[in-house]
Amino acid sequence: MLKGHTALVTGSTQGIGLAVVRGLAQAGADVIIHGIEPPGQGEGIAAEIAAQGGVKAAYVYADLARAEEAEGLVAAATRALRAPDILVNNAGIQYTCPVESFPLDRWNAIIAVNLTAAFLTMKAALPAMRQQGWGRVVNIASVHGLVASVNKAAYLAAKHGLVGMSKGVALESARQGITVNCICPGWTDTPIIQPQIDARAAHFGGDRQAGIRDLLSEKQPNLTLLPPERIGDAAVFLCSDAAAGITGVALPIDGGWTAQ
Ligand SMILES: NC(=O)c1ccc[n+]([C@@H]2O[C@H](COP(=O)([O-])OP(=O)(O)OC[C@H]3O[C@@H](n4cnc5c(N)ncnc54)[C@H](O)[C@@H]3O)[C@@H](O)[C@H]2O)c1
């Protein structure tokens, strides 16, 4: 389905990013895995995905908290494999704290990784997509790009910003065969939410399952942590020809969270 295409997925050595990259490789795309792991470790993941999917795979390191590294990522990916015509901005970080005590350095890091990096990678990747007359950008936002929760000022600003920016870039690209969409996951079973699960579990004597139930019952009506593969499946669909008419959307995959 995606044979002949090349995908760059940021933050793809674990969690949702790894599920997305596996899904794209299974659909036939060559893939550039990105992360902050040492090259040896990242290249190991790339080799495994290449063998499983029968595709080409490469690994590129870049710390997206540093604008110059985010700015250079697409060029590095192009050197490693080929200019990507599928870009998935997935890398993200979280920090929870009331706004009055939210540290400025945490704010700056979240805006840099969750928002500015997506701006810089889109800026760098779009020219080759325009030239080709085909491109797919999938930005992994969050339900917190659509609705709010307490203690997440920076994450909310970044994810709402990502949804808004993606709509604008979708309009700028609509006549060139390029789609730009967001996926807005609810609670998904990955490392990023472990500190929030641990904090809830502490109210139940350290019972992790009770902590998860408590977290889900507050917001996610299906009471089920999403497997990262569900987000990967949706990303593959948004990259397919079947989704060619879908652009500028922010698609919740959230067990009913934003229906409330
Ligand atoms: N898990 C959830 O419940 C959930 C819900 C909604 C949205 N999301 C979003 O999904 C995306 C993926 O998160 P995840 O759940 O897989 O968590 P995760 O922590 O497993 O993955 C985050 C990825 O971002 C990368 N990353 C972090 N800091 C980086 C930096 N400075 N430079 C480069 N890469 C960096 C990490 O290496 C990792 O691969 C994030 O944007 C997150 O906000 C997650």
Side-chain angles (χ1 to χ4, degrees):
M1 181 169 78
L2 295 174
K3 208 168 164 40
H5 295 294
T6 305
L8 167 62
V9 183
T10 70
S12 49
T13 55
Q14 64 178 47
I16 290 173
L18 182 58
V20 170
V21 98
R22 281 194 202 284
L24 292 171
Q26 271 159 22
D30 293 330
V31 291
I32 300 139
I33 292 148
H34 154 263
I36 44 178
E37 286 74 15
Q41 201 177 325
E43 282 153 13
I45 298 170
E48 184 210 311
I49 287 174
Q52 273 172 3
V55 298
K56 288 188 188 144
Y59 173 74
V60 173
Y61 171 96
D63 179 356
L64 299 181
R66 301 165 67 90
E68 65 280 11
E69 293 191 28
E71 214 159 17
L73 176 59
V74 169
T78 303
R79 285 194 297 277
L81 208 55
R82 204 182 304 121
D85 56 3
I86 296 171
L87 170 66
V88 181
N89 282 301
N90 165 78
I93 51 175
Q94 175 64 290
Y95 184 75
T96 58
C97 177
V99 70
E100 310 90 286
S101 38
F102 211 100
L104 179 60
D105 62 338
R106 295 281 191 166
W107 167 278
N108 285 336
I110 289 175
I111 299 297
V113 176
N114 297 16
L115 181 60
T116 308
F119 159 67
L120 292 169
T121 56
M122 283 197 289
K123 204 175 156 186
L126 282 165
M129 296 184 194
R130 291 201 206 292
Q131 209 169 16
Q132 182 177 271
W134 192 96
R136 294 285 185 270
V137 179
V138 179
N139 291 326
I140 308 299
S142 166
V143 285
H144 289 113
L146 302 170
V147 295
S149 299
V150 296
N151 297 341
K152 295 185 177 174
Y155 192 80
L156 286 163
K159 296 297 189 180
H160 275 69
L162 187 58
V163 168
M165 175 171 63
S166 302
K167 289 181 186 174
V169 179
L171 298 180
E172 290 178 30
S173 312
R175 294 187 185 175
Q176 288 129 17
I178 300 167
T179 68
V180 183
N181 293 294
C182 283
I183 295 175
C184 298
W187 294 120
T188 308
D189 195 5
T190 73
I192 203 173
I193 66 166
Q194 298 314 312
Q196 296 176 76
I197 291 175
D198 292 346
R200 292 293 172 123
H203 296 304
F204 301 94
D207 181 342
R208 192 180 135 78
Q209 288 313 316
I212 292 172
R213 267 198 310 279
D214 189 50
L215 205 58
L216 290 169
S217 64
E218 199 175 275
K219 302 269 185 178
Q220 193 151 304
N222 73 349
L223 298 180
T224 309
L225 277 182
L226 287 153
E229 290 72 23
R230 294 295 79 78
I231 314 303
D233 294 342
V236 172
F237 169 68
L238 288 173
C239 293
S240 71
D241 286 342
I246 301 174
T247 196
V249 309
L251 175 68
I253 301 178
D254 64 1
W257 183 322
T258 52
Q260 297 166 101

